[in-house]
Amino acid sequence: NVATGVYTTIGGGDGNNATGYMSTIAGGQYGLVDYYSFIGGGWGNAATGRMSVVCGGGLNKARGNNSVVIGGGHLSGPWTDSSAALGDWSTVLGGYRNIAAGKYSLVSGRRAIANHAGTFVWADTTDNDFVSTGPNQFLIRAYGGVGINKSDPATALDVNGVVRVNWPIWPQSGEGLEICYNPMMKKGYIQAFNRDSSTWGDLYLGD
C-alpha cells in the first residue's frame, strides 16, 4: 500500500494507492483514489474523479467529479471497467457492466448505459447493452413487465389504478396508438397513426 497524497489514509488491504489530497481507501486490493475521494473496499476499483466514491465491488470506476459507484462488478477477467460513473454527479447503483456517462445520470442492472445528461437507465438480466438516445430520459428494460401498484405484471406496462394523460404535444416520429389530452382545447384524442409515413391506422373499440 502507498499513501502519497497529503492527509491520505489507507486502512488496510494490499496494493492500494492513495495519491490525491485528503483521499481514503478503507481496504481491499489494488484500489486507486484521487483528490477528496474514497474507496470502501473491493478489488481493482478506482475513484479518480474529485470527490468521487466507490463503495466496493470489483473493477468499478468513479471517474466523474462527485460521481458514485455503490457496488457490483466482478473479480475476474480482463482489466476493463466493470461499471463506471464517468459523468460529473453520475451514479451507478450496482450490477454489472453499467456506464453512467452523462452528467447527473443514473444506471443499474446489467449493461445499462446512460450516455446523456439527466438520464436514468434500468436494465434487466438480458446480456445486451441498453443505451440511452437522448438527455433527460427514463428508460426501463424489463422483459418481465413493469407493474405499478401490482407485483405480477402481465404486459409490458400493467397498471393497477387510474392513469391520467395531459400533454398537448404529439411525437415527431414512429408508429403506434397515441393517446393525448389538450387542456387548452378541452379535447381528448385516441388515434392510430404512423408519423414517419403520415398515414392513419384503424382504431377498434371492443370486438
Side-chain angles (χ1 to χ4, degrees):
N1 295 322
V2 179
T4 58
V6 178
Y7 305 122
T8 58
T9 301
I10 297 178
D14 175 63
N16 296 307
N17 195 338
T19 61
Y21 181 76
M22 297 183 68
S23 61
T24 299
I25 299 177
Q29 190 176 38
Y30 303 129
L32 173 65
V33 290
D34 209 338
Y35 285 75
Y36 308 105
S37 297
F38 173 82
I39 292 177
W43 182 78
N45 295 314
T48 54
R50 295 202 173 198
M51 294 180 283
S52 62
V53 173
V54 177
C55 295
L59 296 176
N60 295 314
K61 308 294 187 287
R63 293 176 174 168
N65 295 329
N66 304 283
S67 63
V68 177
V69 179
I70 293 178
H74 63 99
L75 298 179
S76 62
W79 284 83
T80 57
D81 292 352
S82 173
S83 290
L86 307 180
D88 294 345
W89 299 282
S90 63
T91 301
V92 177
L93 296 178
Y96 177 61
R97 292 181 66 184
N98 300 305
I99 299 174
K103 287 186 177 181
Y104 317 106
S105 60
L106 178 71
V107 296
S108 188
R110 185 179 190 184
R111 298 179 69 170
I113 300 175
N115 285 328
H116 302 84
T119 290
F120 174 27
V121 183
W122 174 275
D124 61 12
T125 62
T126 304
D127 191 14
N128 288 305
D129 290 343
F130 187 49
V131 186
S132 67
T133 57
N136 303 316
Q137 294 179 334
F138 181 17
L139 306 179
I140 302 171
R141 180 179 68 195
Y143 282 111
V146 175
I148 298 179
N149 293 328
K150 64 184 309 179
S151 60
D152 57 342
T155 58
L157 177 61
D158 198 342
V159 180
N160 179 19
V162 176
V163 177
R164 174 175 289 172
V165 177
N166 187 352
W167 190 250
I169 300 177
W170 295 104
Q172 299 301 308
S173 62
E175 177 183 9
L177 180 67
E178 300 174 344
I179 303 174
C180 179
Y181 177 75
N182 190 324
M184 294 175 287
M185 299 179 64
K186 307 298 182 185
K187 289 184 178 181
Y189 302 85
I190 302 176
Q191 59 191 40
F193 192 63
N194 186 328
R195 297 200 169 268
D196 298 324
S197 61
S198 297
T199 55
W200 296 94
D202 294 328
L203 182 64
Y204 297 89
L205 298 177
D207 294 335

